Amino acid sequence: GQNIDQPTEMTATEGAIVQINCTYQTSGFNGLFWYQQHAGEAPTFLSYNVLDGLEEKGRFSSFLSRSKGYSYLLLKELQMKDSASYLCAGYDSNYQLIWGAGTKLIIKP
Amino acid sequence: DGGITQSPKYLFRKEGQNVTLSCEQNLNHDAMYWYRQDPGQGLRLIYYSQIVNDFQKGDIAEGYSVSREKKESFPLTVTSAQKNPTAFYLCASSITGQPYNEQFFGPGTRLTVL
């Protein structure tokens, strides 16, 4: 079956670095997204990876390894406003987007 | 300002009643989507439309219906046949239905069926 796995919850300290992992098992692969969702709000786009490697966007970076079916989102210099859920979603060979349940990130002062 | 609007934000209905959730976008996007989000689960696709007057069932279409008569509008009807309709419903759009296009989400409608 098709599946996206990510940890349910993580805690980190303001100013620190955190890595949120995502593993996927899909029939084929056509790219992986990361979205941020604050409680009760709409998800907002963070990154899209289709090739192996690291893509950096300011404090946020996303990494993909297609051979390992693995991605991570790296958040640096954590701020309290980064407290949110982070959703990993992958496209399979039928261009269907499969979503993970999300990782709730709690930032402590 | 361009974006996606959903209304209302909160909706209460009695069991057995049909209810229609509104979704409008002024981004000139071809593709639109409806998702359902339940606690502890990933977003699940209900219906999607890649072009006006055309739509396809997603993973959990039973008990739901949609229409796409206008490019900017994609309303979702939750029928009485939907066994467990209480959920957070999200509408999204993208420039096209191609996988590399990010999806833009509306603020969501939280439906509670009493």
Side-chain angles (χ1 to χ4, degrees):
Chain A
Q2 307 201 97
N3 202 37
I4 302 272
D5 287 315
Q6 46 182 139
T8 303
E9 187 175 297
M10 298 181 71
T11 302
T13 304
E14 191 177 13
I17 299 173
V18 71
Q19 178 176 310
I20 302 174
N21 296 326
C22 169
T23 58
Y24 63 88
Q25 301 90 38
T26 58
S27 57
F29 179 76
N30 278 298
L32 189 133
F33 286 91
W34 283 97
Y35 281 79
Q36 180 191 60
Q37 185 179 26
H38 285 98
E41 297 183 10
T44 54
F45 170 79
L46 290 176
S47 67
Y48 173 67
N49 294 68
V50 67
L51 300 176
D52 290 350
L54 184 70
E55 295 215 1
E56 299 186 70
K57 279 186 184 181
R59 294 190 298 114
F60 292 11
S61 302
S62 56
F63 171 83
L64 176 68
S65 169
R66 289 174 295 171
S67 62
K68 295 182 180 178
Y70 167 69
S71 173
Y72 67 72
L73 182 69
L74 191 70
L75 290 74
K76 303 176 186 176
E77 301 169 18
L78 286 170
Q79 302 175 9
M80 297 304 292
K81 67 178 181 179
D82 298 329
S83 292
S85 287
Y86 292 85
L87 314 180
C88 174
Y91 265 111
D92 67 11
S93 58
N94 293 321
Y95 299 104
Q96 295 298 308
L97 195 56
I98 312 298
W99 293 82
T103 298
K104 182 179 180 180
L105 178 63
I106 299 168
I107 311 294
K108 295 186 174 180
Chain B
D1 285 320
I4 302 178
T5 57
Q6 290 184 245
S7 61
K9 190 163 179 66
Y10 298 95
L11 189 56
F12 296 88
R13 278 294 181 268
K14 291 184 179 179
E15 197 172 335
Q17 289 181 332
N18 291 356
V19 60
T20 297
L21 280 58
S22 165
C23 177
E24 304 279 330
Q25 55 100 357
N26 61 1
L27 299 168
N28 200 32
H29 286 175
D30 283 330
M32 297 187 74
Y33 312 81
W34 271 107
Y35 291 96
R36 171 182 171 137
Q37 188 173 36
D38 294 284
Q41 298 190 40
L43 299 182
R44 291 185 289 167
L45 184 65
I46 304 172
Y47 270 97
Y48 64 102
S49 167
Q50 297 197 331
I51 199 166
V52 176
N53 293 321
D54 187 42
F55 50 83
Q56 286 81 40
K57 293 182 179 180
D59 299 323
I60 55 165
E62 186 176 348
Y64 299 97
S65 65
V66 293
S67 63
R68 186 87 188 276
E69 296 175 2
K70 297 186 295 183
K71 187 175 186 177
E72 59 270 22
S73 179
F74 192 40
L76 173 75
T77 297
V78 184
T79 75
S80 56
Q82 168 51 232
K83 296 279 189 285
N84 186 18
T86 294
F88 187 48
Y89 290 88
L90 286 162
C91 178
S93 72
S94 59
I95 295 175
T96 71
Q98 294 298 317
Y100 46 79
N101 292 143
E102 67 180 272
Q103 293 183 16
F104 293 81
F105 285 82
T109 293
R110 189 166 297 279
L111 173 64
T112 302
V113 176
L114 306 171

